[in-house]
Amino acid sequence: MADSRDENVTWLTQEAYDRLKAEYEYLSGPGRVDIAKKIEAAREEGDLRENGGYHAAKDEQGKMEARIFHLRQILDNAKVGEAPKTEGIVGPGMTVTIRFVGDDDEVTFLLASREESGAPIDVYSPKSPLGAAINGKKIGEKATYSMPNGRQNTVEILEAVPYIGN
């Protein structure tokens, strides 16, 4: 049974799920037909080695297929609704305030899927290095994560409250 902190689960609002599903259905249906027509039209122009339109259409097709694959993964692992929330424990759907250890800077953000765009505050994914490190932590606990440059960074959890929107 998947728990609210399962790293494979993507919690989405109904609106976000519907939007992603519509994008997936368009790209995997009419979108594929359209790109195939572009490739065929460009192929008819002759020599493929010097055919910019053909190469651009093939590149567009590759990007579209990658997006289709990504959307399928999100939709297959999506749970619509809100992740169960426990105040004081970091998890998806929580507004989290952290402090970087050795610094006075505090950062507040929503821990949620990147697909939940439109929040009035920054959104950090639970699958990001920081999100994964703090997920499940309690107020007062510290977490260390690796930054893209390979350095370690440690943060302290100051607050974790359910996100209430605008």
Side-chain angles (χ1 to χ4, degrees), residues 18-103:
D18 292 345
R19 179 174 40 83
L20 295 175
K21 188 165 174 38
E23 181 184 358
Y24 173 80
E25 288 172 353
Y26 170 77
L27 290 177
S28 62
R32 279 184 171 148
V33 172
D34 291 346
I35 196 67
K37 287 178 184 173
K38 281 185 189 176
I39 291 169
E40 189 55 38
R43 185 178 280 140
E44 291 172 3
E45 292 174 13
D47 187 355
L48 298 181
R49 290 175 298 187
E50 297 179 17
N51 187 329
Y54 173 78
H55 293 292
K58 289 295 281 184
D59 187 49
E60 185 181 342
Q61 181 186 42
K63 289 177 182 173
M64 187 176 79
E65 290 300 325
R67 179 65 177 162
I68 289 169
F69 179 78
H70 182 70
L71 288 169
R72 182 77 262 151
Q73 283 187 306
I74 291 171
L75 294 169
D76 284 349
N77 294 307
K79 288 199 184 294
V80 176
E82 294 193 16
K85 299 173 188 130
T86 304
E87 190 157 335
I89 299 176
V90 177
M94 299 294 279
T95 301
V96 181
T97 302
I98 59 169
R99 178 176 43 240
F100 292 92
V101 172
D103 197 336

